[in-house]
Amino acid sequence: MTGIWGIVNVTPDSFSDGGRYLDVDRAVAHGLALRADGAGVLDVGGESTRPGADRVGDRVEQQRVIPVIEQLVAAGIPVSIDTLSAATAAAAVRAGARIVNDVSGGLADPEMRAVVAESGADYAIGHWRGFSVDMYANAQYGRVARDVASELHERMSEAASAGIAPSRLIVDPGIGFAKAGEQNWDLLRGLDEIMALGPRVLIGTSRKRFLADVLRHDSATNAEVSEARRDLATAITSAFAARAGVWAVRVHNVAATRDALAVAHAWTA
Ligand code: PMM
């Protein structure tokens, strides 16, 4: 059965829950609530990857995430650290994180693969073509799913060369990262090509702009698409992803996606 990663963003400016969980206690309480809702892993991040977001620096990032990770680990919860920084990944693993979630797949920080190899943590590698400020400039593809699969394959080889066992890898096609609007749907339609790579597949559609775009086109006004509607869209894409056989989905609203996965599972069981 497809697992659920619950998102704990400890940032003032992330996609959708930015600012709400900056306070350590509130972030921990939010993580515990997501765990109670059915999250198997809590993915803790201290730097937004939102298009156009600024980098924060290791010191601030670690001040945000380490105390939160320590408390969630103390509560017995499997934790992943969402970071582009090798230093933050190392500190997070020392604090008890079991998985390093690197949306850049090792491209952003030259030290990352060595740190992960040494740490013994599992390594989630995303498809990525550059930092948030200019990521849409890189959104050029022949065929999106094929190109993403082949670049992820390169990242897998680089990880293996750095001494990370293939069994520790998780691959993520990086929905929204250097992909504009319709390219995300092309990628999801071609998910089989990502599945064929071999490792466990993680996918994150939660509340992303390409979902809001679909809902906005269906509406008379151009108003902001509510969180509740984006969560419903996320639950639906998560159910389709489960049907395609993905190992886990990364979401903000764990309860909604848990329900969608239960229904998808009842259909396919
Ligand atoms: N997306 C975001 C952040 N981290 N990690 C993985 N593995 N996959 C993703 O798609 C992904 C990620 C951006 O979303 P957020 O700021 O709402 O968490």
Side-chain angles (χ1 to χ4, degrees):
M1 180 130 170
T2 300
I4 304 177
W5 285 26
I7 300 171
V8 182
N9 281 330
V10 201
T11 62
D13 62 349
S14 19
F15 270 106
S16 58
D17 55 0
R20 263 187 250 170
Y21 303 113
L22 194 47
D23 174 72
V24 171
D25 291 344
R26 291 176 72 193
V28 170
H30 182 61
L32 295 174
L34 294 181
R35 174 69 168 176
D37 285 342
V41 171
L42 294 178
D43 189 36
V44 179
E47 178 179 70
S48 174
T49 49
R50 185 174 51 82
D54 292 330
R55 306 288 322 272
V56 298
D58 291 347
R59 197 178 56 85
V60 171
E61 189 184 22
Q62 289 168 34
Q63 278 169 354
R64 291 176 180 176
V65 296
I66 299 302
V68 175
I69 292 171
E70 284 171 347
Q71 290 195 48
L72 294 174
V73 167
I77 302 172
V79 167
S80 153
I81 171 68
D82 184 350
T83 187
L84 297 172
S85 154
T88 299
V93 173
R94 279 196 299 276
R98 296 186 196 173
I99 304 171
V100 175
N101 173 23
D102 173 4
V103 298
S104 83
L107 295 179
D109 187 330
E111 306 299 323
M112 183 65 101
R113 294 184 192 104
V115 161
V116 174
E118 164 78 24
S119 75
D122 281 2
Y123 189 33
I125 48 179
H127 175 263
W128 187 86
R129 285 183 172 180
F131 289 99
S132 297
V133 274
D134 56 9
M135 73 175 151
Y136 292 127
N138 300 322
Q140 267 118 30
Y141 298 89
R143 221 164 33 78
V144 186
R146 181 200 55 200
D147 296 354
V148 167
S150 98
E151 288 168 42
L152 276 176
H153 191 262
E154 288 171 29
R155 303 291 86 77
M156 287 164 56
S157 305
E158 291 156 359
S161 306
I164 302 168
S167 61
R168 289 166 55 196
L169 290 181
I170 299 159
V171 292
D172 184 326
I175 295 294
F177 291 94
K179 288 133 203 127
E182 188 62 25
Q183 291 171 332
N184 294 292
W185 293 110
D186 284 340
L187 181 52
L188 291 172
R189 285 180 202 113
L191 202 50
D192 284 354
E193 299 188 53
I194 310 300
M195 300 297 300
L197 289 168
R200 295 167 286 177
V201 173
L202 170 69
I203 195 149
T205 60
S206 194
R207 295 182 183 167
K208 286 186 177 170
R209 186 183 301 173
F210 80 112
L211 295 178
D213 287 345
V214 168
L215 305 178
R216 196 176 290 118
H217 292 157
D218 202 30
S219 140
T221 71
N222 205 21
E224 188 59 27
V225 177
S226 70
E227 202 167 270
R229 294 179 70 206
R230 285 182 289 151
D231 281 342
L232 176 59
T234 302
I236 294 169
T237 52
S238 295
F240 274 83
R243 177 131 198 181
V246 308
W247 171 73
V249 291
R250 177 185 179 278
V251 299
H252 299 87
N253 185 331
V254 170
T257 280
R258 184 203 54 209
D259 286 350
L261 294 186
V263 173
H265 186 64
W267 184 308
T268 52

